[in-house]
Amino acid sequence: MTGPDDNMDQTPRQRLLMDPEWRFHLGDVVLDVPLSHRDTYMGVKCGLTQGVPDPEFDDSEWQLVDLPHDWVVGQRFDPCNNPDHGFLPTGIGWYRKTFSLPESDKDKRLWVEFDGVFRNSTVWLNGYLLGTHPSGYIGFRYDITDIANYGGENVIAVRVDATEFEGWWYEGGGIYRHVWLVKANPVHIAPWGTFVTATVPAPLDPQHSDVVVNTTLENDSDRDVSCELHSVVLDAEGKEVAAAESPVMILAGESRELNQEVTVANPQLWSVDRPYLYRALTTVQAEGRTIDSDETTFGIRTIKFDPQRGFFLNGKPLKLKGTCNHQDHAGVGTALPDRIHEYRIERLKEMGANAYRCAHNPPAPELLDACDRLGMLVMDENRYLSSSPNHLADLASMIRRDRNHPSIIMWSLGNEEMIQSTEAGARIATTMKRLIRKLDPTRPVTYAMHDDWGEGLSPVLDIQGCNYHSQDYDAYHEEHPEHPMVASETSATFGTRGIYQTDEAQGYFSAYDVNPAGFGDTAEAAWQAVAARPFVAGTFVWAGFDYRGEPDPYSWPCINSHFGIMDPCGFPKDNYYYYQSWWSEETVLHLFPHWNWPGREGEAIEVWWHSNCDSVELFLNGESLGRQQMPRNGHLEWQVEYAPGTLSAQGYTDNEVVVTTVVETTGAAAGIVLTPDRAVIKADGQDVAIVTVSIVDSKGRVVPTADSKVSFHVSENAKILGVGNGNPSSHEPDKASRRRAFNGLAQVIIQASRGAGDVTLTAESPGLLPATIIITTEHIHSNTPRPDEC
């Protein structure tokens, strides 16, 4: 028999957000394991497990949390803990969630998707083991069709064992990315089963683009099914620009893969300046009914790495100006709300960056979505250089999940593992590359090597990734003139925001660009080495943001890194303006340090400025101290005898003043100013306002040395998700309603509830004028409702 099952539901698939209202317990719980299973670890064997996974288990005393959730970031710092993990503890945690399924779901296929759990998670549904997933960096799913309770309640239990590390930086712990419930027809598009590719014969004058929609269909029913696959390409305005339909027969229990070729006339190309996005709407129809549908966002663009001239996007040369980044932010740890991913990409774009390296693991899907929307090129990096079955499965998941993102321009096999320089490393890389080519033949493969370029796996790579050692660029290029190169990791210079005298006891570095790590370069030297060499496709600076852990070369009391161009809150350090000067098209004139130096009157203060003007003139209290020519990709500095007042500078281009900047001696701290990143946010229980807290004097100027302790109060229709200040040696809790300012600034993250209205945030500090702001939350129709709303 052919045709759809009579009981097949006509409703297209649903992908429902399961983030709200989980119960959490910190620490392990001994399971009551049936006698027949006591020879297995944790009772992890097929069959029913009692105890925490049991639906009848009482979790009413457990903490109520929403996802994403990083339990580690809320713990206490302890000098006995691992410094690379930010002196925060590891451990084991349990999660449970109860949700209902209607009787009508019985004829569908259901699976639960976890975008990321750190790490080594074991999942049960209704007491039955679903499986174990070791990696904390790539998503996974479990089919729950057979063991779900239809017309009643279901309980999902997750044990998370974060006692072991995968990296050497802060990795958090918990269900730190989204969880989804997917409901689909037994005949459906496979998970990650649509792959859209586009070619442009003449990217400099695009008349048309040839688009191929590759779709994998699965038939999980007991009958052969004859259906039609429809694919429609929509432009950014939702207008149909191409379409295809194909008849297909899928045998019971089998899958089919189809290619559909269409032509898009006069395509709008995706670029860093104009990131134009198309959508492919794919539907499966049988007997005139739509039984499944899915939507894939993609872009039309061309990429090329030339061994002599570097990287080309859409036929035009483009120097990659990138940063390397871990997934960590003040107040939330690794559990970043979607908006914070976007916020961080926005800050990098404002600096002039056009590229992002996901160091050293696959990122959250929402970060890649933000890169697609905002025009940020991506090096998507795999966690391990390994050809073991588990690690190849993780690699395959990364490629399938991410291959439709136009922002991704290369796949990285991994980073700095000793086996990279050996024959075994070359064999492993060959196996990994073969798998990547099978799943995505459109992008080149690289690997971030810290030494032995040209040996081991180097010949396997499409692009030689070069970490540091800029003095060796020329030699490698001369020996391998046909091998494209990218500076996959550069700089690694230490600095602390607002600090201008290194203080080892406090764990602070001067913010002047004079503190490279022993293996690295200053920001200026690293960029000059790349900028001067067309054959080096670009750079990825270590790092875009400070992150917890890896406090080298310091240790306690310092609990986070110093490499960031920005601190963990996203507040710029002074090097930010060096990159902005030479990476962006904005006119930049940044003068530092601050001008509050009581007791140092008459002493020489080292004054720097970053600018892309032709020349800069410096003034102290209105008197000119002279004018200097700005060296390209450089900076200027001066020794200025300190006198309170006003330090100012004028930037000249073509002998005309084009920009002026002023640094003033401020008064004492007098008040607080609250500045949200947005005045209106979504009332969806997920969106956040990222609020900058500034300590100001009576004239409203930020006091650059202020460390006032600020308390926050928010109305009942929102919550404080976390706080931070960028101080690398602060041991204050991130999950709190108060925080000291660090050098005049702090940050508080406010998360909306699911009800529309005005959110009131008040900040107070003894002796300072308080501040209150209103953030409007708007009710929206969510495309990702919770299961209990469906």
Side-chain angles (χ1 to χ4, degrees), residues 472-616:
D472 296 332
Y473 292 164
D474 292 338
Y476 184 82
H477 180 61
E478 290 173 5
E479 294 173 10
H480 305 86
E482 300 306 315
H483 204 182
M485 296 173 60
V486 66
S488 45
E489 192 169 314
T490 65
S491 186
T493 185
F494 302 122
T496 306
R497 177 181 58 79
I499 297 294
Y500 299 100
Q501 292 178 309
T502 294
D503 187 336
E504 294 186 18
Q506 290 293 322
Y508 299 155
F509 275 100
S510 157
Y512 298 111
D513 185 21
V514 295
N515 303 302
F519 54 85
D521 291 312
T522 63
E524 186 171 309
W527 172 241
Q528 287 176 347
V530 172
R533 292 166 171 82
F535 58 85
V536 179
T539 186
F540 291 88
V541 175
W542 192 267
F545 299 85
D546 281 340
Y547 50 92
R548 292 170 182 81
E550 206 171 17
D552 299 341
Y554 297 143
S555 190
W556 186 268
C558 188
I559 49 86
N560 70 240
S561 75
H562 305 271
F563 295 115
I565 302 169
M566 288 174 272
D567 72 15
C569 298
F571 297 142
K573 302 180 189 178
D574 294 295
N575 273 352
Y576 180 98
Y577 300 98
Y578 170 77
Y579 291 108
Q580 191 178 57
S581 295
W582 304 114
W583 286 8
S584 79
E585 299 301 320
E586 299 296 320
T587 300
V588 179
L589 178 55
H590 175 69
L591 183 65
F592 63 102
H594 60 74
W595 210 238
N596 283 30
W597 301 101
R600 297 189 60 183
E601 289 77 6
E603 292 185 25
I605 303 294
E606 187 174 1
V607 175
W608 285 36
W609 54 98
H610 293 311
S611 180
N612 48 15
C613 296
D614 294 342
S615 62
V616 178

